[in-house]
Amino acid sequence: KPVAVEDLLGREPIKANLDEVFQYIQGKKVLVTGAGGSIGSEISRQVAGHHPEQLILFDVYENSLYDLEQWLKRTYPDLNMIALTGSVRDSRRICQVFAQYKPDIVYHAAAHKHVALMETSPNEAIKNNAVGTYKTAYAAMINGCQRFVLISTDKAVNPTNIMGASKRIMEDLVMAYSQKFPVTTARFANVAFSNGSLPDGWQHRMESKQPLPAPNDVKRYFVSPEESGQICMLACILGNSREVFFPKLGEK
């Protein structure tokens, strides 16, 4: 049978009460960078259903951005939404987006995430994750952003690879702006069935009737795509600036 997210969690799915979050985003302009990615698209879907003044989708990859835009148009035909292509590494472009649309809330999900690929292209990890985050946070600061939520990873804790190190730099960079506007960080483990995740690879292998490889010396914890969006939503309003939020996924 097809593998469901619930089969991998080893626990009951988290169901958070997001009423306060959704009340907070009502009537506000919300920008999601990396909107076409696994987490960015889930954030966008959850925001879209709760009456923002405007939802601004920003991504360098036009195909995934187009797919998300079309889904949102079908699902929320009255949504005030704009989909924009561009890179967070492009100072002029990201500053132009902030200056024109003046978002109140920013969910910064744009980043390279694949560990092995970043090991062979460390310069790209730093340019996209660290420098791109700096440029996005700077644009947010000079354009009156009210809240900045950074999407990070558990690999940023005592990092042992380039991807994790670049994410840790991202965290430190946005914290430097916390005196200008509230900044919170959401850290994730593995998002089940996100692009390039272990279950995603299993799914492709099962369809081709191939064996399923997995290291036996590593324990993996998963969150569902829906849970990833909920954590980001909660990080927008809970706690104080500079705090880091992450799901508790260990054994009971």
Side-chain angles (χ1 to χ4, degrees), residues 148-206:
F148 193 100
V149 181
L150 175 69
I151 313 305
S152 188
T153 172
D154 57 354
K155 297 176 181 64
V157 182
N158 299 321
T160 58
N161 52 60
I162 289 294
M163 195 281 283
S166 67
K167 288 277 194 171
R168 182 56 181 266
I169 295 172
M170 288 172 62
E171 293 185 1
D172 290 343
L173 281 170
V174 296
M175 292 306 176
Y177 287 94
S178 61
Q179 294 181 344
K180 303 296 183 180
F181 49 77
V183 173
T184 49
T185 298
R187 282 182 182 158
F188 291 97
N190 301 282
V191 180
F193 294 103
S194 61
N195 294 333
S197 66
L198 182 64
D200 182 54
W202 281 350
Q203 195 79 20
H204 291 301
R205 283 179 169 269
M206 284 188 290

Side-chain angles (χ1 to χ4, degrees), residues 76-90:
Y76 303 105
D78 297 327
L79 175 67
N80 180 9
M81 172 187 61
I82 182 74
L84 306 168
T85 59
S87 172
V88 294
R89 292 157 58 166
D90 184 338

Side-chain angles (χ1 to χ4, degrees), residues 63-176:
N63 291 336
S64 56
L65 181 62
Y66 177 80
D67 290 342
L68 175 63
E69 178 191 34
Q70 295 306 304
W71 186 91
L72 290 173
K73 283 182 176 180
R74 292 191 301 270
T75 309
Y76 303 105
D78 297 327
L79 175 67
N80 180 9
M81 172 187 61
I82 182 74
L84 306 168
T85 59
S87 172
V88 294
R89 292 157 58 166
D90 184 338
S91 299
R92 291 184 179 180
R93 178 59 169 154
I94 194 66
C95 284
Q96 180 265 325
V97 169
F98 272 88
Q100 181 173 353
Y101 295 98
K102 299 290 186 181
D104 303 302
I105 304 168
V106 176
Y107 289 96
H108 181 53
H112 288 321
K113 67 172 188 176
H114 293 291
V115 172
L117 287 178
M118 293 306 99
E119 287 298 303
T120 56
S121 301
N123 55 323
E124 295 303 311
I126 297 300
K127 284 192 291 185
N128 199 59
N129 295 3
V131 178
T133 296
Y134 163 75
K135 293 180 177 182
T136 304
Y138 179 79
M141 179 188 71
I142 64 176
N143 286 283
C145 176
Q146 296 179 14
R147 172 73 68 166
F148 193 100
V149 181
L150 175 69
I151 313 305
S152 188
T153 172
D154 57 354
K155 297 176 181 64
V157 182
N158 299 321
T160 58
N161 52 60
I162 289 294
M163 195 281 283
S166 67
K167 288 277 194 171
R168 182 56 181 266
I169 295 172
M170 288 172 62
E171 293 185 1
D172 290 343
L173 281 170
V174 296
M175 292 306 176

